Amino acid sequence: MITARARLRVVQDRIAALRRAVLTEVEDINRLIYHILRGGVVVSVAFLLFGFILAGLTGLPLPDHSTPPRSLGPLLVQFTPAGFLNLGVLVLIFTPVARVLLSLLSFAEERDRAYVLMTAIVLTNLLISVVLLA
Amino acid sequence: MATVEVLLLLAVAAFLAGLAGSYLGIGGGVFLIPFMTLALGMPIKVAIAVSLIGVIATSSGAASVYVRDHLTNLRLAMFLEVGTTFGAIAGAVVGILVPNVYLFLTFGVVVLYAAASMVRVAETAKDRAYRGGEGERPLVKRLNLSSVYFDQEDQGVYRYRVDRPGAGFGASAAAGVFSGLLGVGGGFIKVPAMNVLMHVPVKAAVATSNFMIGVTAAASAFIYYSQGLVDPSLAAMVIIGVFTGTNLGTRLLVRSKAADVRFLFAIFLTGLGVAMAARALGLFGGVL
């Protein structure tokens, strides 16, 4: 009778440990996605505010068209409002893409083939639509 | 270059778009594009480019909070995103083949029907609760789409079953077609598709929709950006405004009653449906 009770307790402990493990895993990926999305927006807003402050201090004009990433370097080095406003916008555009990449990694880590496949399809489709529309 | 007044007006509009967008699970493009073209007199291309940036800002800002609070169904989002991204590619083709009039008329009718369903069918805690694994479709079971969410309104944890995965997938593809055509997030189709068709509780549907719309918008936004079509100063004001708005909107949603969210969404859909039908039929000079 005592051994049966002890065994039951062992089983219960194992179930509880398993449940904790599952919960922390879910919690981890949720926290990580939260930090990526939130971080992306906050960093973007910081660059944008800095751009506006630069415009106020230097009197340089605000930009009215986007600068492709490869020509952005010189604008940033010279501390122009255009450089930092463009950078802020770019950081924001890439935030959701970073989130999808993170999902891909987390599904791969869980060895969840169906979801790895689906995430890969989404990324491929995004690439195709960029090529199609450009 | 835009004047200071225009920039400030835009920031206020973006704040409201972010507030409504995060509360309703939409990107806010349906508010921002008409505001920029009609009230500020900007060209449609500039408005679409800036609005796409606003959609990403709403999506990222709001989704982060909803993911942290376990409102978002991450698996369902990934499943439906497959449909949406296929739809967005199809949208480029459909836009050439089918006249816009029929598209607007179809969506107008669909949106009005969804509004009626959301008001007519009540969502109560009892409807949402179910026992694990009971009556799930094979695909839902295989993909583990059903989920739980925590509702702050009554401090309850609700387990819900996802129904009709095929129909939801199709509706998401249709939403993708629309966002490919118009430069909006398509949340106004995704939320009713999840809530009415798939029986996902409205708050989880709003959170999941918000989570999804940023991805499709990012692809289009990058194209506009690399062609120099995004005005960074206008986009900056929109991002800052939207970010502030989502901080308030997300707080409102988690505390709201599900019935209120559905009612407000139905009102929003009715307005949108009428505007779409009017545009298709050429009423009001086609300005809407």
Side-chain angles (χ1 to χ4, degrees):
Chain A
M1 188 63 201
I2 289 167
T3 49
R5 206 173 270 171
R7 270 183 201 160
L8 185 67
R9 177 159 301 163
V10 169
V11 171
Q12 278 174 337
D13 284 351
R14 276 194 192 151
I15 290 173
L18 199 65
R19 180 177 288 167
R20 271 198 303 275
V22 169
L23 279 181
T24 16
E25 195 166 301
V26 169
E27 188 55 35
D28 278 352
I29 185 66
N30 276 277
R31 291 305 295 191
L32 215 53
I33 290 176
Y34 167 75
H35 286 303
I36 289 235
L37 291 177
R38 195 77 179 168
V41 181
V42 169
V43 168
S44 160
V45 168
F47 280 137
L48 297 173
L49 288 176
F50 187 63
F52 279 122
I53 291 171
L54 275 182
L57 291 177
T58 61
L60 286 167
L62 291 170
D64 62 359
H65 65 274
S66 40
T67 310
R70 59 179 174 280
S71 354
L72 203 56
L75 293 177
L76 288 171
V77 176
Q78 291 160 13
F79 277 87
T80 58
F84 283 91
L85 289 177
N86 274 298
L87 183 63
V89 172
L90 261 186
V91 168
L92 186 82
I93 293 178
F94 278 102
T95 300
V97 184
R99 191 272 292 170
V100 179
L101 280 173
L102 178 77
S103 304
L104 184 67
L105 291 179
S106 88
F107 287 133
E109 208 184 319
E110 290 171 30
R111 296 181 194 286
D112 195 333
R113 282 199 196 149
Y115 277 91
V116 170
L117 183 70
M118 282 196 273
T119 316
I121 291 174
V122 168
L123 278 172
T124 318
N125 283 351
L126 288 179
L127 266 173
I128 291 174
S129 61
V130 166
V131 174
L132 249 182
L133 293 166
Chain B
M1 207 187 99
T3 61
V4 175
E5 291 82 45
V6 167
L7 287 178
L8 290 179
L9 265 177
L10 192 58
V12 174
F15 170 82
L16 295 173
L19 176 66
S22 53
Y23 188 85
L24 298 175
I26 59 171
V30 285
F31 302 129
L32 273 180
I33 294 178
F35 179 77
M36 292 178 74
T37 51
L38 297 179
L40 301 179
M42 290 174 185
I44 183 80
K45 275 213 162 175
V46 173
I48 289 180
V50 171
S51 153
L52 279 168
I53 304 291
V55 171
I56 303 176
T58 307
S59 172
S60 303
S64 65
V65 176
Y66 295 148
V67 168
R68 185 197 59 196
D69 293 351
H70 297 277
L71 277 176
T72 314
N73 186 334
L74 295 176
R75 284 172 183 271
L76 181 62
M78 212 63 238
F79 170 66
L80 295 179
E81 264 168 26
V82 176
T84 306
T85 49
F86 272 121
I89 295 174
V93 184
V94 171
I96 301 163
L97 296 178
V98 184
N100 275 1
V101 177
Y102 298 115
L103 282 177
F104 276 104
L105 206 55
T106 313
F107 274 104
V109 172
V110 169
V111 156
L112 286 174
Y113 177 76
S117 319
M118 287 185 93
V119 174
R120 210 182 58 228
V121 187
E123 178 178 277
T124 65
K126 271 184 189 166
D127 291 333
R128 289 179 286 189
Y130 93 115
R131 268 168 280 161
E134 197 178 85
E136 278 184 338
R137 303 286 166 93
L139 184 64
V140 172
K141 198 166 211 160
R142 166 76 186 83
L143 294 178
N144 198 7
L145 289 178
S146 297
S147 187
V148 288
Y149 88 104
F150 173 71
D151 201 330
Q152 265 196 21
E153 173 198 340
D154 51 8
Q155 300 288 310
V157 175
Y158 292 102
R159 181 189 283 274
Y160 58 90
R161 185 183 71 207
V162 173
D163 290 330
R164 294 193 209 121
F169 191 86
S172 295
V177 170
F178 218 74
S179 52
L181 280 176
L182 283 185
V184 294
F188 59 92
I189 304 169
K190 285 169 186 160
V191 173
M194 278 188 264
N195 189 227
V196 177
L197 284 178
M198 307 180 86
H199 297 147
V200 173
V202 72
K203 286 189 191 178
V206 163
T208 307
S209 168
N210 252 326
F211 185 71
M212 290 163 63
I213 51 183
V215 181
T216 16
S220 321
F222 188 71
I223 293 155
Y224 278 92
Y225 182 92
S226 53
Q227 293 182 344
L229 289 169
V230 176
D231 183 324
S233 312
L234 301 179
M237 291 317 271
V238 166
I239 295 171
I240 294 167
V242 161
F243 180 62
T244 322
T246 55
N247 281 334
L248 187 60
T250 50
R251 236 169 264 175
L252 285 178
L253 179 81
V254 290
R255 286 177 202 166
S256 294
K257 283 183 184 156
D260 294 346
V261 180
R262 291 176 115 239
F263 185 68
L264 284 172
F265 201 93
I267 290 175
F268 158 69
L269 283 180
T270 308
L272 191 65
V274 169
M276 279 184 177
R279 179 164 164 172
L281 301 172
L283 299 172
F284 312 126
V287 291
L288 288 167

